[in-house]
């Protein structure tokens, strides 16, 4: 038997596994690396975060990743970045392991989300001759496995799409295992480049939990900040947005997009909520010269309204139940956005996801470690990702 295949069988049969979860999101700021210990699987899963780090991308690499996520791009550039992203991620994993004094041989698996460069659910691509969903992530798993010597589970979203689902959000599968409570209704809100949430009722319904995207999170906020404030990658703590004023006409035009009225669950990405979407809305409303602080204030209100609209869609015929909203992602550090959310969801109690034992910045990397654990441990309900041997 191939020794790596024998190793895979042994890892699958172990009572626990050490797994490195990797997440690089739509904000493109860097790679989140979480070393987790997963004991058991399914309802008996116990997950401990041993180490966590975020390794930033260089400004030049961020720009190349933004450029590759455009409607027209050279296939050679996609092919090269597919390998280059994986090689950079492999190097970052090895740097982390060295700093943590952990040998690669002591790690059972890498769980790599990769870098989404295009997400195309059918409602978005609207190709009549292809009535299916599609999505594409780069950062090849075989490169990661070969360069680190660690069995890698990668490309999680394709199995979801192959079964007729949209490929996103995937967080709900792991959210339920990690964070469900028998006594508390929980809304797990992730404010990444795109905002999404998982709703976990105290008395869970049959089947998987409701997980949905809600619209833009930080992607437009960061783009406007970079455009008007050179040297800044984001609006720290939402300070600039807090100094601005929401423009009602621009907000109405932005919310006029059919995505916000579409039924749940739904997915989207920066392909739809790109700077061009904002630019067009500004042209329609005559707000192209609006001060940048006012644009940011309006975009904060857009994100908060998108979240609140989706929450209200969850409960169309009943009173919204009391729930605790646990917040993660880069937007969890944006004070202006958190204030807007509290205003839109006055019945919710807000808390950082840290209160549940996982740091906000680490949550998504941990989630993919959990998904890999379920796949390898043999959970038939959660089998996502391709297995890449070194």
């Amino acid at each position: 038997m191939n020794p790596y295949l024998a190793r895979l069988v042994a890892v699958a049969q172990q009572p626990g596994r050490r797994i490195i979860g990797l997440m690089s999101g739509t904000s493109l700021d860097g790679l989140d690396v979480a070393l987790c210990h997963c004991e058991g699987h399914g309802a008996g899963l116990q997950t401990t975060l041993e180490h966590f780090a975020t390794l930033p991308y260089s400004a030049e690499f961020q720009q190349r990743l933004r450029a590759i996520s455009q409607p027209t791009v050279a296939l050679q550039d996609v092919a090269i970045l597919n390998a280059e992203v994986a090689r950079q991620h492999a190097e970052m994993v090895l740097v982390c392991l060295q700093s943590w004094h952990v040998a690669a041989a002591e790690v059972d698996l890498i769980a790599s989300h990769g870098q989404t460069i295009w997400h195309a659910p059918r409602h978005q691509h609207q190709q009549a001759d292809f009535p299916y969903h599609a999505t594409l992530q780069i950062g090849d798993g075989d490169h990661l496995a070969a360069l680190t010597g660690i069995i890698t589970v990668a490309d999680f979203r394709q199995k979801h799409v192959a079964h007729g689902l949209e490929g996103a959000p995937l967080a709900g599968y792991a959210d339920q295992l990690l964070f469900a409570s028998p006594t508390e209704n929980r809304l797990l809100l992730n404010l990444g480049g795109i905002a999404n949430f998982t709703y976990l009722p105290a008395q869970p319904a049959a089947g998987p939990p409701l997980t949905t995207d809600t619209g833009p999170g930080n992607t437009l906020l960061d783009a406007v900040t970079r455009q008007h404030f050179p040297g800044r990658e984001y609006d720290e703590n939402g300070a600039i947005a807090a100094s601005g004023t929401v423009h009602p006409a621009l907000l109405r035009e932005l919310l006029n997009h059919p995505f916000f009225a579409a039924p749940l669950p739904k997915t989207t990405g920066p392909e739809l909520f790109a700077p061009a979407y904002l630019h067009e809305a500004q042209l329609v409303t005559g707000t192209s010269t609006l001060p940048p602080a006012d644009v940011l204030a309006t975009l904060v209100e857009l994100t908060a309204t998108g979240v609140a609209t989706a929450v209200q869609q969850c409960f169309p015929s009943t009173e919204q139940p009391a729930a605790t909203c646990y917040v993660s992602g880069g937007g969890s550090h944006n004070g202006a956005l958190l204030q807007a959310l509290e205003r839109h969801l006055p019945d919710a109690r807000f808390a950082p996801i840290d209160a549940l034992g996982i740091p906000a910045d680490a949550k998504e990397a941990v989630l993919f470690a959990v998904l890999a654990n379920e796949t390898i441990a043999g959970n038939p309900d959660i089998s996502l990702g391709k297995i890449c041997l070194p």
Side-chain angles (χ1 to χ4, degrees):
M1 179 184 288
N2 181 315
Y4 289 114
L5 188 57
R7 169 67 174 153
L8 176 63
V9 172
V11 168
Q13 293 174 340
Q14 291 171 188
R17 284 154 285 276
R18 292 181 94 187
I19 304 174
I20 292 178
L22 304 180
M23 182 63 196
S24 180
T26 52
S27 296
L28 304 177
D29 49 356
L31 180 68
D32 295 332
V33 185
L35 176 60
C36 306
H37 180 82
C38 295
E39 188 73 21
H41 69 280
L45 175 69
Q46 296 292 324
T47 300
T48 303
L49 178 62
E50 297 185 18
H51 297 283
F52 174 72
T54 297
L55 282 71
Y57 294 142
S58 69
E60 181 271 340
F61 192 62
Q62 289 183 51
Q63 183 55 41
R64 289 175 61 202
L65 289 175
R66 291 189 188 102
I68 208 73
S69 299
Q70 300 299 321
T72 56
V73 64
L75 289 178
Q76 176 172 278
D77 292 340
V78 175
I80 290 172
L81 266 179
N82 182 44
E84 188 175 348
V85 166
R87 298 187 78 90
Q88 283 217 23
H89 286 185
E91 182 179 347
M92 289 173 167
V93 166
L94 294 175
V95 166
C96 285
L97 288 176
Q98 184 176 29
S99 70
W100 297 334
H101 304 290
V102 176
E106 298 172 21
V107 178
D108 295 306
L109 301 168
I110 291 174
S112 174
H113 171 268
Q115 184 67 57
T116 298
I117 64 169
W118 202 260
H119 186 59
R122 62 173 173 258
H123 68 79
Q124 194 162 304
H125 67 66
Q126 296 185 347
Q127 300 290 319
D129 58 345
F130 187 77
Y132 308 102
H133 306 300
T135 190
L136 182 61
Q137 288 73 41
I138 60 173
D140 180 67
D142 279 319
H143 283 75
L144 271 165
L147 293 169
T148 63
I150 302 170
I151 297 170
T152 298
V153 185
D155 213 10
F156 287 87
R157 300 192 183 276
Q158 297 304 330
K159 179 72 70 66
H160 206 247
V161 170
H163 281 285
L165 303 169
E166 293 195 20
L170 298 183
Y173 296 100
D175 281 339
Q176 188 171 42
L177 294 176
L178 289 175
F179 303 117
S181 165
T183 59
E184 181 181 60
N185 297 319
R186 292 178 172 176
L187 190 81
L188 304 183
L189 176 60
N190 178 55
L191 298 172
I194 296 298
N196 60 73
F197 68 71
T198 299
Y199 178 62
L200 298 172
Q203 300 298 325
L210 173 64
T211 305
T212 185
D213 286 345
T214 67
N218 305 317
T219 182
L220 290 172
L221 290 165
D222 292 351
V224 170
T225 301
R226 288 193 301 270
Q227 178 186 354
H228 293 285
F229 302 93
R232 298 192 190 187
E233 288 296 317
Y234 60 94
D235 178 13
E236 187 172 359
N237 197 37
I240 303 172
S243 71
T245 302
V246 174
H247 193 285
L250 177 57
L251 178 62
R252 283 195 299 270
E253 181 61 27
L254 291 167
L255 288 169
N256 194 40
H257 195 283
F259 173 83
F260 294 104
L264 305 182
K266 54 191 175 183
T267 66
T268 189
E271 305 82 12
L272 193 160
F273 292 112
Y277 154 78
L278 172 61
H279 178 67
E280 183 178 344
Q282 289 186 277
L283 288 177
V284 169
T285 56
T287 56
S288 296
T289 59
L290 195 66
D294 291 355
V295 175
L296 288 170
T298 303
L299 291 175
V300 162
E301 190 70 9
L302 172 68
T303 293
T305 304
V307 171
T309 298
V311 170
Q312 290 156 8
Q313 283 179 287
C314 283
F315 316 103
S317 60
T318 61
E319 184 177 345
Q320 182 180 321
T324 301
C325 183
Y326 291 97
V327 188
S328 62
S332 65
H333 305 296
N334 186 321
L337 178 52
L338 294 178
Q339 288 181 10
L341 287 164
E342 289 173 356
R343 177 164 38 81
H344 278 277
L345 298 171
D347 295 329
R349 183 177 75 86
F350 283 80
I353 196 71
D354 306 55
L356 300 180
I358 300 292
D361 293 334
K363 178 176 178 276
E364 286 200 282
V366 172
L367 292 183
F368 280 94
V370 168
L371 291 179
N373 181 73
E374 297 304 303
T375 295
I376 297 301
N379 187 332
D381 299 320
I382 307 176
S383 179
L384 301 168
K386 297 178 176 65
I387 299 171
C388 305
L389 303 180

